[in-house]
Amino acid sequence: MVKAKKSAPRATTVGAIDPEVLVFTAGRDVILDHALVEVDCLGTAAHVVMLSRMKVSPPVLTERECSSVLGELRKIVEQARAGRFKITIADQDAHLAVERTLTAALGDVGKKVHTARSRNDQVALDLRLFARNEILGTLEESVALARTLLAFARKHVAVPMVGRTHMQPGMPSSVGLWASAFAEELADGMELLMALFELNNRSPLGSAASYGVPLPIDRALVARLLGFDCAAHNVLYANQGRGRLESLLLDGYSQLMLTLSKLAQDLMLFTMPEFNYFALPAAYCTGSSIMPQKKNPDVLELVRAKAAKVRAAASAVFDICRGLPSGYNRDLQEAKEPFMEGIATTRASLRVMNGLVSGMGVNREALLKGFTSDVFATDRALELVGEGMPFRDAYHHVKNNLHELAGTDPAQAIRKKTHVGAPYGLDFAWMKKTG
Ligand code: ARG
């Protein structure tokens, strides 16, 4: 066996790179990777426990050495939480910064932690652990908004609202129907995200540089220790699943943003003075530097624009990946920023929309004023069908006698729509279950 020489701890440098090239290649990692330090330590903790249990003689890492690494990792996590952990340009990224810190504290023991691991599976793991936390947080925020929308819908279930197609008045509807439609759409966005959570919840660690290692590592143990459902099986797949997975997740996030954007668009329209159906909470409106009377819906406009940005982030990640040959390629590093940005933007949008909807007022008078008598035309035709007239005859009869609709009561009209999912057939308990 070749004995490792005892050497003074030094920065973990990989390659001899020109300083400018180093700045170029490290890119935004020295900033972005701060979000990965804690999960990197978590992954390293599981990895060293596995190494210490690996059946080789002499052991790669003794139990004592493993404990000392775990102790140092804990310190790094504390430092990171306090915003004191540094990633230098020489480190390039969180992975080498953690290894440098461990080696500075533990000498040769620190140098052993990267056994049977590559930065490629390490970063793939970190991103999956990061995504797992983010998805859980996103689900909580989505549930909060869906609940707020449902509470709003419940409170105003009997308030009539014109239902539109092509933006033109169509049929009698209700505020309850309008608001709970967005809650249900959010709920299926959450289902999509939960499916993506499952796909994400597989450990890539131990795939190393993509091709496995000639040591009896226990990938299943690492997966279990980290709370994954299993290890991603094929080691090449485990590595090159990076990028594709982020693109899938961003597809899910952009679906949530699609819902928020449509909700924002409706609110911009329905809070215009000409409609005045709803009133935005004052704290969610901005003023104008020149027009003293202004109360602008900037929040809604920004949510609409951010939906485009999250979609663009999904496209960016997809396009970064689609031309890649198999195995690791540094292109993947460029997917990190749109990935993190897309998630952060969606979560911020969910939170701000929740506050906005919570404080929103309803103007029943204005909503009723929106009802011109022709809005009742379809309902009247269907009433005639109920009395035995064929639908097309009823349609023409009403079309030729629109004046007969004058004086119809919108509140009465919506009370007649009692089938499943209609304004008076909304099952809030069912929605709660799905949400
Ligand atoms: N910061 C790198 C990334 O995000 C880590 C992996 C570097 N691997 C390599 N073979 N250069 O992709």
Side-chain angles (χ1 to χ4, degrees):
M1 195 198 73
V2 190
K3 267 242 155 122
K5 260 198 256 143
K6 202 141 179 114
S7 58
R10 59 184 163 85
T12 308
T13 44
V14 177
I17 318 168
D18 174 274
E20 248 184 73
V21 177
L22 184 60
V23 170
F24 184 79
T25 52
R28 301 263 304 144
D29 269 15
V30 281
I31 312 282
L32 298 175
D33 274 22
H34 282 285
L36 299 181
V37 173
E38 194 167 335
V39 287
D40 198 77
C41 289
L42 200 65
T44 300
H47 185 66
V48 293
V49 168
M50 185 279 289
L51 288 179
S52 73
R53 294 192 198 167
M54 197 164 65
K55 304 231 171 319
V56 284
S57 182
V60 169
L61 210 62
T62 64
E63 253 180 61
R64 260 180 97 106
E65 288 172 332
C66 175
S67 301
S68 62
V69 175
L70 295 181
E72 290 305 319
L73 287 170
R74 209 166 287 135
K75 286 187 206 160
I76 296 175
V77 168
E78 277 161 21
Q79 274 183 349
R81 284 185 183 167
R84 280 189 286 105
F85 185 74
K86 298 253 176 315
I87 302 172
T88 67
I89 196 75
D91 292 326
Q92 302 180 39
D93 51 34
H95 326 298
L96 293 179
V98 169
E99 190 178 327
R100 168 183 53 80
T101 311
L102 291 176
T103 307
L106 303 170
D108 285 351
V109 174
K111 291 192 227 155
K112 293 180 179 181
V113 298
H114 208 54
T115 307
R117 188 176 71 169
S118 153
R119 272 188 298 162
N120 302 348
D121 58 338
Q122 198 176 347
V123 61
L125 173 84
D126 290 3
L127 289 170
R128 284 183 190 238
L129 289 172
F130 170 84
R132 204 163 67 177
N133 290 338
E134 293 294 324
I135 294 171
L136 293 175
T138 309
L139 287 171
E140 270 176 33
E141 287 150 357
S142 305
V143 166
L145 175 58
R147 283 217 171 112
T148 301
L149 282 162
L150 283 182
F152 183 87
R154 248 197 161 127
K155 187 164 168 201
H156 305 293
V157 72
V159 179
M161 178 174 173
V162 171
R164 294 168 188 276
T165 65
H166 311 266
M167 292 177 78
Q168 302 297 319
M171 292 177 76
S173 177
S174 67
V175 172
L177 188 80
W178 173 82
S180 58
F182 286 101
E184 193 167 337
E185 192 170 311
L186 264 183
D188 70 39
M190 286 183 249
E191 265 186 75
L192 179 60
L193 212 56
M194 286 192 280
L196 292 169
F197 182 94
E198 303 282 311
L199 216 55
N200 178 68
N201 205 27
R202 295 166 196 173
S203 170
L205 207 66
S207 57
S210 296
Y211 305 103
V213 291
L215 281 173
I217 57 167
D218 187 347
R219 298 188 59 217
L221 170 65
V222 171
R224 227 174 21 252
L225 288 173
L226 291 171
F228 284 109
D229 290 334
C230 58
H233 181 67
N234 178 310
V235 287
L236 177 57
Y237 159 71
N239 252 319
Q240 68 192 29
R242 181 181 173 199
R244 175 174 171 272
L245 191 65
E246 290 96 288
S247 132
L248 279 165
L249 288 167
L250 284 173
D251 284 342
Y253 275 86
S254 57
Q255 288 298 328
L256 289 176
M257 286 305 287
L258 176 73
T259 302
L260 297 192
S261 182
K262 292 194 298 174
L263 174 60
Q265 179 54 62
D266 259 14
L267 288 175
M268 277 180 259
L269 191 67
F270 296 144
T271 54
M272 279 170 69
E274 289 81 350
F275 278 91
N276 198 24
Y277 288 178
F278 305 128
L280 298 176
Y284 284 75
C285 294
T286 53
S288 153
S289 60
I290 177 170
M291 296 170 279
Q293 86 287 6
K294 282 292 230 155
K295 228 180 116 186
N296 292 327
D298 296 30
V299 166
L300 300 171
E301 292 160 342
L302 288 167
V303 166
R304 186 173 56 185
K306 284 173 193 297
K309 283 179 78 179
V310 175
R311 190 59 238 156
S315 300
V317 174
F318 183 94
D319 281 339
I320 286 168
C321 299
R322 75 187 158 89
L324 296 184
S326 58
Y328 174 83
N329 300 277
R330 192 68 176 265
D331 309 48
L332 289 170
Q333 185 175 287
E334 289 294 314
K336 202 183 280 173
E337 189 163 26
F339 177 56
M340 290 179 169
E341 276 277 332
I343 292 177
T345 301
T346 306
R347 294 189 60 181
S349 303
L350 284 165
R351 290 194 295 268
V352 79
M353 286 300 276
N354 187 24
L356 183 140
V357 176
S358 302
M360 211 160 68
V362 169
N363 184 349
R364 189 186 166 93
E365 295 312 303
L367 281 148
L368 289 174
K369 236 172 68 195
F371 279 84
T372 47
S373 57
D374 52 316
V375 174
F376 305 103
T378 312
D379 281 6
R380 177 64 191 139
L382 291 169
E383 230 168 62
L384 293 175
V385 168
E387 290 163 18
M389 195 182 284
F391 176 73
R392 195 52 68 206
D393 291 343
Y395 171 98
H396 286 298
H397 174 84
V398 174
K399 190 172 182 161
N400 297 327
N401 297 281
L402 286 173
H403 60 277
E404 286 177 3
L405 301 170
T408 314
D409 177 10
Q412 279 269 303
I414 58 172
R415 225 166 282 145
K416 290 182 187 157
K417 299 185 179 188
T418 55
H419 64 77
V420 171
Y424 265 73
L426 290 171
D427 182 352
F428 291 105
W430 176 83
M431 288 192 193
K432 230 178 184 166
K433 254 181 269 150
T434 359

